[in-house]
Amino acid sequence: MLSAIGLRYARALVDVITASGFSQDPKQALAELRGIEAMIKESQALHNALLSPAVSPSRKRAVIGRLLEPMHVSKAVRNFIFVVIDHRRVHEIPAIVEAFDRLLDERLGFIRGDVSSAVELNADQRRELESQLSRLSGKQAKIVYSVNPDLIGGVVARVGAKVYDGSVRGQLEKLKLKLGSQAAAA
C-alpha cells in the first residue's frame, strides 16, 4: 500500500517530468531516484544526518548536492530531493520512489500485473502471456513472475483489479463448488 504523502510527492514529480516540452526521459528520472534511495539506504551516517532535526535543511541540501554531483543527477530530480529535504520527508523517499514508478507506468500507458505459475515460464510463454494480458487490459502489461507449486499446473494472473485463474487448483476449486451446490440442490 502506497502512502498518501509518497503519492502526493510522486504525483508532483511525475507531472513535472511528463509535462510537454520537458526534455528529461522519465525512465532516467526513475533511475536517478532509485540511485538516491540506494545511496541513503547504504549509508547509515547519511541517513541519520538527513533525518536529524539538529542538522539544518541548508546543510542537508549542501551534503546531498555534493553527493549527487558525480551521479550526474538531473536538475529536476535534484531540486525535487531538496524540496523533500526542506519539508522533512526524507523518511518517505522509498514510498515516493515506489509511487513515482507506479504513477509513471500509469501515465505512460502501462498496467502492472503479477503472474504465478506452477513452474518457471520460458521466454516464449512469458511473451505470449504478456501479449494476451495486454490485449485484455487494453494497455501494455508489465508483469512480475513468481512460481507457486501449490497451483499444480497453469497460471494465475492479477492485472489491475482483475484475476485470471487458469490454474489446475483453481479449476478444481470451481468444480468442487459446482458439485457442492448441485448436491445441496438435490
Side-chain angles (χ1 to χ4, degrees), residues 172-186:
L172 290 172
E173 289 293 325
K174 288 178 192 172
L175 182 60
K176 180 180 170 183
L177 288 174
K178 186 175 181 181
L179 290 174
S181 66
Q182 287 176 352

Side-chain angles (χ1 to χ4, degrees), residues 11-180:
R11 188 170 290 116
L13 184 58
V14 167
D15 288 345
V16 169
I17 297 293
T18 60
S20 62
F22 195 78
S23 61
Q24 184 173 4
D25 175 24
K27 295 296 181 188
Q28 180 62 35
L30 178 59
E32 292 173 0
L33 285 173
R34 285 189 174 144
I36 294 166
E37 177 186 20
M39 176 182 65
I40 294 169
K41 186 177 180 180
E42 290 170 7
S43 173
Q44 191 63 43
L46 176 62
H47 184 260
N48 291 342
L50 291 174
L51 292 178
S52 174
V55 180
S56 71
S58 62
R59 184 75 185 128
K60 292 174 186 179
R61 283 192 312 272
V63 168
I64 284 292
R66 303 273 319 266
L67 292 171
L68 296 182
E69 283 176 19
M71 295 172 65
H72 304 291
V73 170
S74 67
K75 186 176 180 180
V77 171
R78 185 196 70 214
N79 289 345
F80 175 77
I81 293 298
F82 289 171
V83 168
V84 170
I85 289 169
D86 289 346
H87 292 152
R88 296 188 176 112
R89 299 294 187 192
V90 171
H91 65 281
E92 291 285 343
I93 287 178
I96 292 168
V97 173
E98 177 62 25
F100 181 81
D101 189 16
R102 289 179 183 265
L103 292 170
L104 191 59
D105 279 350
E106 285 177 23
R107 190 76 54 96
L108 298 177
F110 291 100
I111 190 163
R112 290 173 174 236
D114 296 299
V115 171
S116 296
S117 58
V119 296
E120 188 74 32
L121 300 177
N122 66 37
D124 289 338
Q125 291 169 321
R126 287 179 179 211
R127 269 193 299 277
E128 178 61 28
L129 197 51
E130 286 175 18
S131 172
Q132 292 299 322
L133 292 173
S134 294
R135 185 183 55 76
L136 288 169
S137 68
K139 294 182 175 183
Q140 180 65 38
K142 288 177 93 175
I143 307 298
V144 175
Y145 293 93
S146 62
V147 174
N148 180 355
D150 292 341
L151 296 177
I152 303 169
V155 299
V156 175
R158 287 175 184 78
V159 180
K162 288 211 171 242
V163 176
Y164 302 97
D165 190 345
S167 69
V168 172
R169 180 179 178 190
Q171 299 307 315
L172 290 172
E173 289 293 325
K174 288 178 192 172
L175 182 60
K176 180 180 170 183
L177 288 174
K178 186 175 181 181
L179 290 174

